[in-house]
Amino acid sequence: MRLFLFRLDAEWFALRSEHVRGVLPRDGANPGAARLSVPGARSSDSAANLIVVACPGGAEALLEVDGVTGLVEVREDAVQGVPAFVFPEAAVTVSGVFAWDGALAALLDPAGLDLRPAPPLAS
Amino acid sequence: MYVTFRLGALALAIPAAAVDEIVPATGVRRLPGMAPAVAGVMLSGGGVLGIVDLALLAGSTPTDERAVVVLAGAPRLGLLVESPDAVPGGTDEAAAELTDAPLPLQGALRCAESRFHRLDLEKLRRRLRALPAGRRQRGGEDGDPDSGSR
């Protein structure tokens, strides 16, 4: 499967390629665009890029990340499920993990990310 | 043979037959949205292991120097503990005075000058299954809590 790999708060994360529409420089986005954040992850002071994420329902929102590796190919069976007791909440943020560069990368489910909608346009 | 470890002032023991291995607590990956008593996940034996922080589960203060006791059986589970060791065995003792202990205990074991409380692994697993019951998956799909994956 094709995954979009990036770093956030010194950890590896990934999204399925179909959930990523593009990458923008940090200052290259509309400041009024909807934003995403990873629940429980510390926000980064050094975010270098914004990933344009396709959210459920077709809308797009931006996720700040520290560094982008880009598209990588990962075997389907390399992504393993996480034991159910690890997550107590209904909104599942991590749909699996896989080994990457000597560490574990977390595959994110866009539906589990926190969405801060775009502010209404000023009249 | 028993594997022993500490939880603050409490000395605990589990049968060595219930343990696959003891590994350093390096490579434990924290994940967003984890249950409070979960330390993270790690790769072990070709699979993903959920790591439970016994100190957090018991409401005590965790220390820095700990190791992961990997339990045999499913779901794959590791216990983050202090000072793991092994003792050859000992004499069974009752431990009625710890009925309100923060972890499920099942009697005690005396070995030489030391006394260890037996950690009841079955009850511990049941407690873990009960923590997120019915809320862990979207769309009301509870699934099998022992399945080890979503």
Side-chain angles (χ1 to χ4, degrees):
Chain A
M1 67 172 77
R2 278 158 68 83
L3 301 179
F4 188 91
L5 193 69
F6 58 93
R7 291 182 77 93
L8 178 62
D9 193 25
E11 302 273 19
W12 287 113
F13 287 93
L15 284 159
R16 288 179 179 270
S17 60
E18 62 266 31
H19 291 148
V20 177
R21 297 274 166 81
V23 182
L24 298 171
R26 187 181 191 184
D27 57 359
N30 175 357
R35 296 294 182 119
L36 289 168
S37 61
V38 179
R42 284 174 290 182
S43 61
S44 171
D45 294 329
S46 59
N49 294 104
L50 296 158
I51 299 177
V52 184
V53 179
C55 298
E60 292 181 351
L62 303 175
L63 175 66
E64 282 191 359
V65 300
D66 294 325
V68 169
T69 296
L71 289 174
V72 298
E73 195 70 37
V74 175
R75 279 176 37 184
E76 196 88 30
D77 61 1
V79 180
Q80 302 195 39
V82 176
F85 68 83
V86 169
F87 297 113
E89 300 298 334
V92 178
T93 307
V94 176
S95 56
V97 295
F98 58 98
W100 185 263
D101 195 26
L104 271 179
L107 178 59
L108 296 172
D109 180 348
L113 302 179
D114 283 339
L115 176 65
R116 191 171 72 243
L121 292 173
S123 57
Chain B
M1 189 82 161
Y2 286 84
V3 169
T4 65
F5 45 86
R6 302 200 67 84
L7 183 65
L10 193 63
L12 297 167
I14 56 178
V19 175
D20 268 347
E21 58 179 341
I22 299 173
V23 297
T26 53
V28 176
R29 167 76 198 265
R30 291 192 59 77
L31 296 174
M34 292 189 314
V38 175
V41 296
M42 68 186 296
L43 287 177
S44 170
V48 177
L49 192 65
I51 312 292
V52 172
D53 189 329
L54 275 193
L56 292 178
L57 193 65
S60 64
T61 306
T63 62
D64 288 338
E65 294 185 18
R66 295 186 291 170
V68 176
V69 175
V70 181
L71 300 183
R76 304 226 50 218
L77 174 63
L79 305 178
L80 192 56
V81 302
E82 288 174 52
S83 310
D85 201 353
V87 298
T91 310
D92 287 338
E93 288 186 355
E97 72 273 23
L98 279 180
T99 51
D100 61 345
L103 292 171
L105 303 178
Q106 188 180 42
L109 177 79
R110 180 166 291 282
C111 178
E113 299 301 311
S114 300
R115 186 168 187 258
F116 303 94
H117 292 273
R118 292 174 189 267
L119 182 61
D120 188 328
L121 294 175
E122 278 308 308
K123 284 185 181 172
L124 180 67
R125 285 183 184 277
R126 282 205 294 273
R127 184 181 291 191
L128 291 174
R129 284 197 291 267
L131 282 177
R135 296 197 300 138
R136 64 171 68 96
Q137 296 191 3
R138 255 192 306 275
E141 181 190 347
D142 285 343
D144 176 3
D146 283 349
S147 66
S149 64
R150 61 189 67 245

